[in-house]
């Protein structure tokens, strides 16, 4: 709890007032990632690996934008900063915990922004104004946008995915599709479609992410998310 409080306090001043209500949730996610280093390792390795290998496929490396950058658990920020002229991290919250990783680079910038179309119809419109945009990464963001828009989940999912497909540069998409809650006997107790009925192509990469092992949310249950990723969503 002391570490969480320190991160909260250190992040508060640099966070624009409009986004400060989201600080508590962001710190909670960071703390869970700290507790579940081992359980999250395969998922994080898959996400980072996809980004690292996708860099090699890009012929132009001027500006890259990471949507939903969060605490940078799944972002190989060092590779991006060494490879691109400019790196733009976009999220509602940028915690102080990432400072040590990014402060050594002069070409990375944090942008506090609400990416949900529930609050702004063309939430990704700002990307059109970046003339030298060569790559966009949407990272574990879609389901979070849906969760924050009760009653409009499917519309928000559709708006984000459809808008990504219109961009003029490669778009790497990593998202969770659904989750299942298991008891200690392997029986499924609960499940949910995190894309709310939105169909997605069957190609791309697939893996499982144990978001909440036994003891994280309940002593006798664990929650596992089904993940999917496409190196370029426009051609999925």
């Amino acid at each position: 709890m002391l570490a969480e409080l320190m991160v909260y306090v250190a992040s508060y001043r640099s966070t624009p007032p409009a986004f400060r209500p989201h600080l508590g949730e962001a710190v909670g996610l960071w703390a869970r990632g700290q507790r579940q280093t081992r359980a999250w390792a395969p998922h994080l390795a898959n996400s980072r690996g996809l980004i690292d290998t996708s860099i090699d496929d890009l012929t132009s490396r001027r500006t890259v934008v990471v949507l939903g950058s969060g605490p940078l658990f799944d972002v190989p920020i060092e590779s991006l900063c060494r490879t691109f002229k400019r790196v733009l991290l976009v999220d509602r919250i940028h915690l102080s915990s990432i400072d040590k990783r990014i402060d050594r680079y002069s070409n990375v910038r944090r942008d506090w922004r609400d990416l949900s179309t529930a609050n702004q119809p063309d939430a990704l419109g700002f990307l059109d104004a970046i003339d030298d945009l060569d790559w966009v990464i949407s990272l574990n963001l879609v389901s979070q946008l849906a969760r924050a828009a009760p009653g409009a989940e499917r519309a928000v999912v559709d708006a984000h995915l459809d808008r990504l497909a219109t961009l003029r540069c490669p778009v790497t998409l990593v998202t969770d599709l659904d989750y299942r809650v298991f008891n200690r006997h392997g029986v499924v107790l609960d499940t949910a479609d995190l894309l709310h009925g939105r169909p997605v192509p069957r190609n791309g990469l697939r893996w499982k992410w144990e978001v909440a092992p036994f003891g994280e949310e309940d002593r006798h249950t664990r929650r596992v998310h089904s993940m999917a990723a496409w190196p370029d969503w426009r051609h999925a």
Side-chain angles (χ1 to χ4, degrees):
M1 291 297 293
L2 179 59
E4 294 176 42
L5 179 60
M6 292 176 63
V7 170
Y8 184 96
V9 171
S11 306
Y12 186 84
R13 181 170 295 182
S14 63
T15 302
F19 295 97
R20 287 173 182 169
H22 306 296
L23 259 176
E25 181 181 2
V27 172
L29 173 64
W30 169 82
R32 175 174 290 195
Q34 298 297 110
R35 290 191 301 271
Q36 302 301 341
T37 302
R38 179 178 297 181
W40 287 19
H43 160 69
L44 299 182
N46 284 330
S47 293
R48 294 183 193 128
L50 172 62
I51 294 171
D52 272 330
T53 56
S54 296
I55 291 175
D56 297 334
D57 297 329
L58 299 171
T59 57
S60 181
R61 301 168 183 174
R62 294 171 299 173
T63 295
V64 57
V65 175
V66 184
L67 305 174
S69 54
L72 298 183
F73 288 150
D74 41 10
V75 180
I77 190 65
E78 295 80 8
S79 297
L80 295 178
C81 288
R82 287 194 301 263
T83 306
F84 283 82
K85 181 179 180 181
R86 182 167 59 136
V87 178
L88 182 60
L89 305 176
V90 184
D91 213 328
R92 295 189 303 185
I93 295 294
H94 300 281
L95 296 176
S96 62
S97 59
I98 71 174
D99 290 351
K100 288 184 179 180
R101 291 184 65 190
I102 68 174
D103 284 352
R104 73 184 78 172
Y105 301 106
S106 61
N107 60 335
V108 61
R109 183 168 68 85
R110 286 169 279 203
D111 181 10
W112 283 262
R113 188 179 293 270
D114 186 350
L115 295 170
S116 174
T117 55
N119 302 317
Q120 184 178 346
D122 191 10
L124 299 184
F126 72 100
L127 296 173
D128 295 332
I130 304 176
D131 293 333
D132 60 351
L133 183 63
D134 286 326
W135 192 19
V136 172
I137 305 168
S138 176
L139 198 55
N140 293 314
L141 175 63
V142 184
S143 65
Q144 298 302 311
L145 296 177
R147 187 166 64 88
E153 294 93 343
R154 174 61 186 272
V156 167
V157 170
D158 285 344
H160 185 76
L161 296 181
D162 293 345
R163 188 65 171 87
L164 289 178
T166 70
L167 296 178
R168 64 183 184 275
C169 66
V171 178
T172 295
L173 172 65
V174 180
T175 184
D176 38 8
L177 303 176
D178 57 52
Y179 74 72
R180 294 182 180 183
V181 177
F182 299 89
N183 66 15
R184 291 188 178 273
H185 301 289
V187 176
V188 177
L189 303 179
D190 187 25
T191 185
D193 173 9
L194 298 176
L195 296 187
H196 299 272
R198 165 71 184 234
V200 294
R202 293 184 176 274
N203 61 353
L205 306 174
R206 295 287 193 277
W207 66 86
K208 299 294 184 182
W209 176 15
E210 190 174 24
V211 173
F214 292 117
E216 175 62 40
E217 295 177 337
D218 185 273
R219 182 179 176 184
H220 299 293
T221 66
R222 68 187 186 106
R223 178 159 54 90
V224 180
H225 289 222
S226 299
M227 304 299 301
W230 294 267
D232 192 348
W233 174 248
R234 302 172 307 159
H235 306 305

